[in-house]
Amino acid sequence: MEYKNIHIVYFSPTHTSAKTAYAIAEGLGSDVLLESDITYKMPEKPIEIPDDELTVVAVPVYGGRVAETAMERLRVFHAHHAPVVPVVVYGNRDYEDALLELTDALTEAGFVPVAAGAFVGEHSFSRKQMPIAAGRPDAEDHEYAVCFGVRIRAKLETLKTLADLPPLKVKGNFPYREKGPSTPQAPVVDEELCTQCEYCIDVCPVSAISIVDDRMFSDPNSCIKCCACVKECPEGARSFDTPYTAMLHKNFSARREPELFV
Ligand SMILES: Cc1cc2nc3c(=O)[nH]c(=O)nc-3n(C[C@H](O)[C@H](O)[C@H](O)COP(=O)(O)O)c2cc1C
């Protein structure tokens, strides 16, 4: 089986899912690489994926499930029988039912999953003093992801049509893990450090940040706690305090490796 284009689709507030998708695409190899970055907005109209395009969808794990905003934005993608590689990226704790949830959703949208993977990225709540998978994906992860792409390519080359493929089995349970109750919270701003450059407004995937009464205001009801604004603030003026950081640092610092389903 040959494919004309590779299409990477990602929701990636802190860029680890995007980096993973690019590395997999590097291994897949193709003259044409299409990109749909759904991090900052919902695509305006439905996107129909042709059968000769191989799509890699990479999204973060939030609470053992696919990040909800990613799931909503993925609903615009449809296919009739196009190959897809579902990929989840998690912060070294666990991905629980997220990969199964993503694989099921893409199948429902008309794709045929040909391989899937769970990769590790620096945890959104990782901080200098309490690192959790800091710096990942690193060089080793990159290599792993490139090799994954090469393996997928080899697998597809052995097939005449996707109909020859048995259904892909990935780890996870259905019904999926229940989502916890919503606990509205948003990063806080150190007024002494904040210069109101508004970069945080640009990098917020859900437009939760605005200027109110001459101060940066993050709406806790819209905030998805992705910590993009915390990690990217050029002045280090934003912080997000959660007891999870210490708990994750203590219990989930041992390196986990990617898991592949080919
Ligand atoms: C609200 C929230 C919930 C998260 N839940 C999990 C989780 O259940 N397991 C885990 O290992 N990492 C979890 N993470 C960490 C992210 O999955 C991880 O940092 C990922 O690399 C972020 O992807 P991105 O860089 O593409 O935004 C969570 C992060 C956030 C913000």
Side-chain angles (χ1 to χ4, degrees):
M1 252 207 71
E2 288 200 351
Y3 40 86
K4 227 194 250 164
N5 309 327
I6 294 168
H7 186 167
I8 54 172
V9 177
Y10 55 85
F11 174 83
S12 189
T14 58
H15 315 301
T16 63
S17 305
K19 283 181 192 159
T20 305
Y22 273 104
I24 296 168
E26 191 183 320
L28 286 167
S30 164
D31 293 340
V32 184
L33 178 64
L34 308 171
E35 181 194 9
S36 295
D37 180 357
I38 56 169
T39 310
Y40 303 106
K41 60 179 173 71
M42 181 96 172
E44 272 151 29
K45 40 185 189 199
I47 298 175
E48 211 47 60
I49 305 291
D51 287 359
D52 58 0
E53 196 162 290
L54 173 59
T55 306
V56 177
V57 177
V59 294
V61 175
Y62 287 1
R65 301 282 301 272
V66 174
E68 216 165 291
T69 315
M71 210 58 173
E72 280 161 21
R73 294 182 187 172
L74 283 173
R75 290 204 186 102
V76 301
F77 294 90
H78 298 278
H80 290 295
H81 209 63
V84 73
V85 180
V87 174
V88 294
V89 180
Y90 69 104
N92 206 56
R93 185 188 68 78
D94 200 353
Y95 63 94
E96 284 153 316
D97 302 329
L99 189 59
L100 179 65
E101 183 185 13
L102 180 63
T103 305
D104 288 349
L106 292 169
T107 306
E108 187 112 324
F111 289 93
V112 180
V114 293
F119 286 79
V120 177
E122 175 170 313
H123 202 292
S124 320
F125 301 158
S126 179
R127 300 291 175 264
K128 228 185 219 150
Q129 305 76 1
M130 270 187 255
I132 311 150
R136 296 185 72 183
D138 56 16
E140 219 176 292
D141 292 311
H142 180 88
E143 191 59 29
Y144 223 110
V146 174
C147 290
F148 180 46
V150 172
R151 280 179 68 191
I152 297 167
R153 190 191 180 120
K155 176 178 177 173
L156 291 179
E157 275 169 5
T158 64
L159 296 176
K160 273 218 171 75
T161 77
L162 285 182
D164 297 341
L165 210 60
L168 184 73
K169 282 210 173 75
V170 302
K171 207 170 92 178
N173 294 303
F174 184 83
Y176 312 127
R177 181 197 154 119
E178 251 180 62
K179 291 182 184 171
S182 102
T183 51
Q185 191 188 343
V188 293
V189 183
D190 183 333
E191 302 291 345
E192 304 262 291
L193 296 176
C194 177
T195 60
Q196 296 201 351
C197 70
E198 301 186 20
Y199 192 56
C200 52
I201 295 180
D202 294 344
V203 300
C204 177
V206 291
S207 306
I209 309 175
S210 55
I211 299 184
V212 176
D213 293 336
D214 211 26
R215 289 171 167 209
M216 304 311 298
F217 170 72
S218 301
D219 179 358
N221 292 307
S222 311
C223 176
I224 58 168
K225 304 173 183 161
C226 69
C227 294
C229 63
V230 174
K231 293 192 176 191
E232 300 205 26
C233 172
E235 310 301 332
R238 303 178 68 87
S239 57
F240 183 76
D241 282 329
T242 157
Y244 283 124
T245 302
M247 185 282 285
L248 292 165
H249 170 71
K250 183 163 176 257
N251 300 310
F252 299 100
S253 282
R255 186 183 180 93
R256 294 194 63 172
E257 296 300 344
E259 287 177 43
L260 310 178
F261 303 86
V262 186

